[in-house]
Amino acid sequence: MDPNLKDRISSALAGCGGDFADIRVEIAESTRVAYRGGRLEAAAQSRDVGGIVRVLVGGRWGIATFNDLGDLAARLREARDCGAATAEGGDVRLAETEPVQDDAPAPMVSDWRTVALADKLALACGYSDLLMGQPLIKDARASLSERFSQCYYANSEGALIYDERPYAVISFSATARDSDQVQEASRSLATRYDYGSLAGREDLALEAARRARALLAAPPVKGGVYPVILSPEMGGLFVHEAFGHLSEADFQADNPQAQAMMTLGRKFGRPILNVVDDASLSGLRGSLKYDDEGVRTGPTYLIREGVLFGRLHHRESAGIMGERVTGNARATFYRYPPIVRMTNTAILGGETPFEEMLAGIKLGVYAVNAGGGQTMFENFAFACPGAYMIRDGKVAELVRDVNFGGNLFETLANIDAVGNDFRWAASGGGCGKGQEMMLPVGMGAPHVRVQGVLIGGR
Amino acid sequence: MGDRAAWTAGTACKSEHTDDRMRVAERALAELARRGASGEVHVASVSGLTAEFSAGKLRNCSADGRVHLSVRASRSGRIGFYSTTDASNPGEAVERALETAECGEELEIAFPSRGIPGGDMPPAAFDPEVADMAADALVRQVGALTAEVEAATPGSQVRSAGRRETEDTVLVNTAGGVVRDRHTALTLFVELSRFAAEDVLLLFQEAGAARLHDPAVEGFPARLGDLYGAAATQAGLAPGKRRVVLAPEAAYVLLAPMFQGVNGLNAVRGTSPLIGKVGSQVLDSRFTLTDDPWLDWAIGSALWDEEGTPTRRKHVFRGGVFKGFLHDLRSAAMGRTESTGNGRRVRGQAPQIGPYSLVIEPGDLPMADLLAEADGGLYVASVIGGGPGGLAGAFSHPVGVGYLVKDGRLAGRVKDVAIAGNVYDLGRHGLVGLEDRTHTVGSMYGAALKVPHILLDGVDVAGK
């Protein structure tokens, strides 16, 4: 932490004008090493320094982003002028929060900043060699990406926070080719504080190779409507895409139609369905002590016993809707103002054993591997590079090119079994919203059974 | 268009802003040379203004300015890369790049010397009206667009945003290559929604151009009004193999897997299904796809790519025949071939292969005839998800917004359907026809898309 920078940020806010102002500064050091096809593809480092100021003027935000930390007061004036660009009145108002002053250093177990670049390359190289030595694997990638951000936040209400946010991910992908048939599979592992945990994970690399090879012989899934069992990994992605984005209140705050659709107390599913978002859990991909408006994080129940119970807010959406701030204001980088984002989102565990879920299905699909996902509120989609058919209550043959889609309301209502085997995904995925990509988020679920899921296929 | 006398090879555009960047770049380049290394230095300075509206009100107006200094260094046959937003110390950036080169990728990249441009004139890419656009003018423009869309789509909720941006770049390398560029961009985005109980309609429209007054950023309200109106009723469509019209906004269903196939890195890696097919008939003879870096006023058009290689207009598929892979310097070095001028940069990252404007040549079907041919089929305005299987050409997407085509018109919204197929199978055997005009829509991999409506037969449609 740089106490001088902290002081400069704090004093720049004094007398800045406007109804409210805040400053967020980020200093991020990143390294990425990647092997592809058995050869080193990238060894890159970067240092990203910059900040963003927001000034609330007449119910509108004026915002300025910058790299030069030299004259923060000038940046505040620039933002204020932007906010005053029109005489038209806005209606932005902020929910009240208690201004916090705190330092939140990361509890590093093994800090990658102390590891030599050559050692990081050796780690990735070992995984790469292992992947390329597997039968039928024609191309493979093993990469290590890490980022350590020092974040400073202050606002005109007196908040002043220093927060460290480390993220590291090791990723494997394997491409198997046999004649014209090409298939790819991937795995990844994320950590927040422990570089050492990324070593010795040959099992994950080999799993990626095995999956890619197996997909070569797998037929495409036949499109149709099936009962589906989602693995915990897929269940986490499902709740993130199919429901989580709908619970982000920034799209509801000024949209009466959306508010009517998302009225608290509305029944969304059976009583077995419980969904929560919680950044305060330690060490997960979406964990934060404070959000990007300096609000202390905590658990927010979104669905409780099948009923819509809460939603995610930043100060603006909570202020407009007259609800409690939840600490979900997040920005991928300092270049963006914070918007409402998920943190660690999960379907909580239930009581049904996996075998019992299978037993009720004559013909269905067991979705195992999570690919990407997307939502259009009512509709959602996610890719599942590998899935198994379920036949007469048993897991049967592997199928490929599986893409799920569905209607949110029908799908949540059609969840008829929630497993007793909850776990958080250990993978290193991220979430995109608007212009911002790859915000680290955590996802968790047990096995979940859904009736009547639409699967695209040939 | 610029005046030929106003530019020379390697100095596409010069301004006082680029002089600052040039000094930083030259200091870094001198340090590279002093350390016995070769390489390139890229300095990009971006300034922009963004205005966002929601529910008819201005939510925020933001100004941004940033600098990216990137150094790609080569020493002892190894490549290193470092980027930073702190351009005050070019020497440190070179030091860190060389540190990564110590254990970097083994590759001999031939950095281009001052190249001879492939085109006669630089494409028009800088509009002072955009560069100088004040915040109140941008707010007025986005506000007027928002009001027009709201009027064309009664009952909808509209969010919109506009951004004007100016980027100055300098690229220098140890082979003597120098490229200076300055371009503008004005992009507009509209999202409209309609929520009713369990029925949600979400439509997007996005377009951009380098100049203030451009057809690409006009015509939003009418297009959104048509799609919005047609979604007022619902229709059904039985699953099976169907005729499908891909709207220009949904063209990436085909283009995304195709780009994976034509990406030179995938050729070098041996994973492209187009390996060994250069010069072969791969698609229907009516299908021609061009990568065009010289379209006037298209965002990103340039005479040199972002590695200093002269760009060229090139057919990717011509008359259905595959004409060749796209390469940057790295993939060209790996594959012992030449860069096609497709080295593009996402700020702060090493160059990678990217297209410019992707243009699908129009066909001979007026829209009315195309819809008549599609009778009983599905009109796809948008899809959801990237879908699996891109490398082999497979696609599979739930449809975001789709319509039944009946009696030559969009006859109601079809919900809960998904489309799937293989772009090479459908492109060879399933092309019914192409609309007789193109539309400029959105972007893909940073490239503008200029495409017609495409009618395919035999697309797998799954649904309830």
Side-chain angles (χ1 to χ4, degrees):
Chain A
M1 185 186 63
D2 178 351
N4 181 44
L5 178 57
K6 214 171 161 184
D7 288 345
R8 288 201 300 115
I9 291 170
S10 189
S11 29
L13 282 161
C16 66
D19 306 318
F20 170 87
D22 66 2
I23 300 180
R24 188 158 45 89
V25 168
E26 185 176 358
I27 300 168
E29 300 269 357
S30 304
T31 299
R32 179 173 176 270
V33 298
Y35 282 81
R36 179 114 196 204
R39 53 177 288 158
L40 182 62
E41 178 182 66
Q45 300 181 56
S46 67
R47 176 178 163 84
D48 197 355
V49 179
I52 180 168
V53 297
R54 301 187 302 169
V55 180
L56 193 56
V57 184
R60 302 176 303 273
W61 286 111
I63 300 170
T65 65
F66 49 89
N67 292 134
D68 183 354
L69 306 184
D71 190 350
L72 297 172
R75 301 288 81 77
L76 281 159
R77 286 194 295 276
E78 189 180 2
R80 192 187 57 208
D81 292 347
C82 270
T86 172
E88 183 191 354
D91 61 0
V92 173
R93 54 188 179 277
L94 303 181
E96 292 190 1
T97 60
E98 195 63 34
V100 175
Q101 299 200 352
D102 191 15
D103 292 338
M108 301 303 285
V109 175
S110 111
D111 191 339
W112 46 83
R113 293 174 298 171
T114 64
V115 178
L117 181 63
D119 291 337
K120 294 171 185 173
L121 284 160
L123 178 69
C125 183
Y127 289 131
S128 171
D129 289 348
L130 179 67
L131 281 165
M132 288 302 293
Q134 301 305 305
L136 294 177
I137 299 304
K138 302 299 182 197
D139 188 23
R141 185 202 301 251
S143 67
L144 167 68
S145 301
E146 23 125 303
R147 178 181 177 91
F148 194 103
S149 291
Q150 300 177 72
C151 303
Y152 299 79
Y153 175 83
N155 67 30
S156 55
E157 296 167 342
L160 184 58
I161 295 168
Y162 170 74
D163 193 6
E164 291 179 346
R165 298 177 184 175
Y167 302 94
V169 179
I170 193 147
S171 305
F172 312 111
S173 75
T175 304
R177 180 168 185 162
D178 189 8
S179 187
D180 276 350
Q181 189 57 249
V182 184
Q183 291 297 328
E184 192 173 2
S186 59
R187 294 286 289 164
S188 68
L189 176 70
T191 183
R192 294 296 302 272
Y193 311 126
D194 187 6
Y195 177 79
S197 67
L198 302 180
R201 297 312 307 262
E202 287 77 7
D203 57 321
L204 288 177
L206 290 172
E207 189 181 339
R210 182 182 56 74
R211 284 183 183 178
R213 206 164 45 239
L215 284 170
L216 286 174
V221 70
K222 184 173 169 46
V225 178
Y226 297 91
V228 169
I229 296 178
L230 305 173
S231 69
E233 188 185 10
M234 285 297 289
L237 177 62
F238 163 74
V239 75
H240 176 98
E241 290 297 344
F243 178 74
H245 283 293
L246 203 64
S247 71
E248 294 167 339
D250 48 356
F251 89 94
Q252 303 172 30
D254 53 10
N255 188 330
Q257 294 176 354
Q259 285 181 30
M261 191 181 77
M262 296 296 286
T263 303
L264 298 184
R266 175 178 176 168
K267 189 173 181 218
F268 264 82
R270 301 178 193 205
I272 53 174
L273 183 62
N274 291 282
V275 178
V276 71
D277 182 273
D278 190 355
S280 65
L281 300 166
S282 178
L284 297 175
R285 189 112 170 104
S287 298
L288 297 165
K289 188 172 182 183
Y290 301 99
D291 74 0
D292 287 325
E293 290 182 320
V295 175
R296 183 73 191 249
T297 59
T300 303
Y301 272 86
L302 304 174
I303 293 179
R304 200 164 213 167
E305 296 184 348
V307 171
L308 187 64
F309 190 81
R311 51 185 138 243
L312 306 178
H313 282 295
H314 57 9
R315 292 187 65 182
E316 181 180 333
S317 64
I320 293 172
M321 296 181 75
E323 296 184 356
R324 182 181 63 88
V325 170
T326 59
N328 286 87
R330 301 185 68 190
T332 310
F333 300 110
Y334 64 84
R335 295 184 193 99
Y336 302 106
I339 54 178
V340 181
R341 305 297 295 267
M342 284 172 268
T343 59
N344 303 305
T345 313
I347 297 175
L348 297 182
E351 295 179 348
T352 309
F354 179 59
E355 295 73 20
E356 197 175 303
M357 284 188 197
L358 276 173
I361 297 176
K362 182 161 179 58
L363 177 65
V365 172
Y366 176 34
V368 181
N369 310 142
Q374 194 181 347
T375 181
M376 284 178 73
F377 290 146
E378 174 194 41
N379 297 312
F380 63 88
F382 45 91
C384 177
Y388 295 89
M389 297 306 297
I390 300 170
R391 297 185 188 278
D392 297 322
K394 292 192 168 49
V395 176
E397 77 275 15
L398 181 71
V399 289
R400 61 177 166 85
D401 299 346
V402 181
N403 205 330
F404 293 84
N407 175 284
L408 160 73
F409 305 100
E410 279 182 31
T411 307
L412 286 176
N414 285 343
I415 293 177
D416 68 348
V418 176
N420 59 0
D421 47 3
F422 175 89
R423 63 174 184 260
W424 290 103
S427 53
C431 169
K433 180 176 176 180
Q435 301 296 308
E436 298 184 54
M437 295 293 126
M438 295 306 287
L439 179 75
V441 289
M443 302 174 192
H447 278 94
V448 173
R449 188 173 65 194
V450 193
Q451 299 292 338
V453 176
L454 174 65
I455 294 181
R458 303 167 68 191
Chain B
M1 297 286 280
D3 177 354
R4 186 179 177 88
W7 66 280
T8 58
T11 54
C13 187
K14 189 170 182 292
S15 77
E16 60 191 78
H17 303 280
T18 54
D19 289 340
D20 291 342
R21 308 286 83 83
M22 181 58 85
R23 278 190 284 276
V24 171
E26 285 176 341
R27 278 175 60 195
L29 195 69
E31 183 64 13
L32 268 178
R34 191 184 72 77
R35 305 282 297 265
S38 60
E40 68 183 9
V41 181
H42 186 265
V43 186
S45 163
V46 181
S47 64
L49 262 180
T50 304
E52 294 184 344
F53 277 71
S54 181
K57 290 195 170 76
L58 176 68
R59 309 307 293 187
N60 66 61
C61 180
S62 61
D64 58 84
R66 62 183 191 271
V67 175
H68 289 279
L69 165 63
S70 302
V71 179
R72 183 161 56 167
S74 173
R75 191 159 65 182
S76 306
R78 287 178 177 270
I79 300 288
F81 181 80
Y82 181 73
S83 77
T84 180
T85 50
D86 179 4
S88 63
N89 192 346
E92 187 189 343
V94 170
E95 174 71 31
R96 299 289 295 273
L98 288 171
E99 180 189 319
T100 62
E102 287 294 318
C103 36
E105 179 181 23
E106 288 185 61
L107 192 66
E108 291 288 353
I109 288 183
F111 295 102
S113 57
R114 273 177 185 255
I116 296 174
D120 292 335
M121 295 282 284
F126 180 79
D127 180 1
E129 279 195 277
V130 172
D132 300 334
M133 195 175 193
D136 58 342
L138 180 67
V139 167
R140 274 199 307 276
Q141 174 145 354
V142 182
L145 173 71
T146 307
E148 273 189 81
V149 171
E150 284 174 338
T153 57
S156 73
Q157 302 285 313
V158 178
R159 288 177 170 229
S160 56
R163 174 174 173 78
R164 67 113 167 107
E165 180 178 292
T166 302
E167 181 171 35
D168 284 283
T169 59
V170 169
L171 173 78
V172 293
N173 66 37
T174 48
V178 180
V179 174
R180 295 196 258 203
D181 190 22
R182 189 174 203 213
H183 60 261
T184 48
L186 178 68
T187 51
L188 296 170
F189 171 80
V190 173
E191 169 198 302
L192 70 85
S193 60
R194 186 183 60 206
F195 294 79
E198 297 188 359
D199 180 28
V200 182
L201 174 68
L202 203 57
L203 290 166
F204 305 92
Q205 197 79 17
E206 179 188 2
R211 62 180 169 180
L212 185 56
H213 304 290
D214 190 276
V217 294
E218 293 163 0
F220 269 32
R223 170 75 174 150
L224 285 168
D226 291 347
L227 293 175
Y228 185 79
T233 57
Q234 294 197 12
L237 182 70
K241 288 197 181 294
R242 299 276 169 235
R243 289 201 164 187
V244 166
V245 181
L246 290 178
E249 295 86 352
Y252 84 88
V253 168
L254 299 182
L255 290 176
M258 278 182 191
F259 180 72
Q260 292 298 310
V262 306
N263 186 313
L265 259 186
N266 290 330
V268 172
R269 289 169 183 152
T271 55
S272 167
L274 296 172
I275 291 170
K277 294 180 179 171
V278 176
S280 300
Q281 191 79 36
V282 172
L283 302 171
D284 186 285
S285 61
R286 290 167 292 174
F287 190 88
T288 294
L289 172 67
T290 305
D291 176 42
D292 192 344
W294 299 342
L295 271 185
D296 281 337
W297 303 117
I299 290 176
S301 283
L303 270 192
W304 285 269
D305 74 358
E306 291 171 291
E307 296 178 306
T309 303
T311 58
R312 54 192 162 91
R313 184 177 283 152
K314 53 203 163 293
H315 293 297
V316 181
F317 296 96
R318 185 176 193 180
V321 174
F322 177 48
K323 304 302 286 184
F325 294 97
L326 305 181
H327 284 284
D328 61 4
L329 289 177
R330 178 167 172 266
S331 70
M334 291 166 72
R336 291 177 164 62
T337 183
E338 291 187 346
S339 169
T340 53
N342 286 92
R344 308 296 307 272
R345 290 176 192 258
V346 175
R347 304 293 159 243
Q349 295 180 23
Q352 54 190 320
I353 297 169
Y356 292 87
S357 292
L358 287 172
V359 182
I360 297 177
E361 264 187 27
D364 57 3
L365 284 177
M367 195 60 201
D369 294 355
L370 186 139
L371 287 176
E373 288 281 346
D375 197 61
L378 181 69
Y379 180 97
V380 177
S382 66
V383 295
I384 311 177
L391 263 179
F395 67 85
S396 173
H397 301 273
V399 173
V401 180
Y403 303 84
L404 175 68
V405 183
K406 196 74 188 163
D407 301 327
R409 63 183 182 89
L410 306 187
R413 184 178 174 198
V414 177
K415 297 176 71 170
D416 301 330
V417 290
I419 57 171
N422 181 289
V423 296
Y424 300 112
D425 291 345
L426 287 167
R428 182 75 188 263
H429 306 294
L431 182 66
V432 178
L434 297 154
E435 186 191 4
D436 61 357
R437 56 168 293 212
T438 58
H439 310 261
T440 302
V441 291
S443 64
M444 188 185 81
Y445 303 118
L449 302 181
K450 195 173 176 187
V451 295
H453 281 84
I454 301 168
L455 176 57
L456 300 167
D457 191 26
V459 179
D460 287 289
V461 177
K464 295 184 175 176

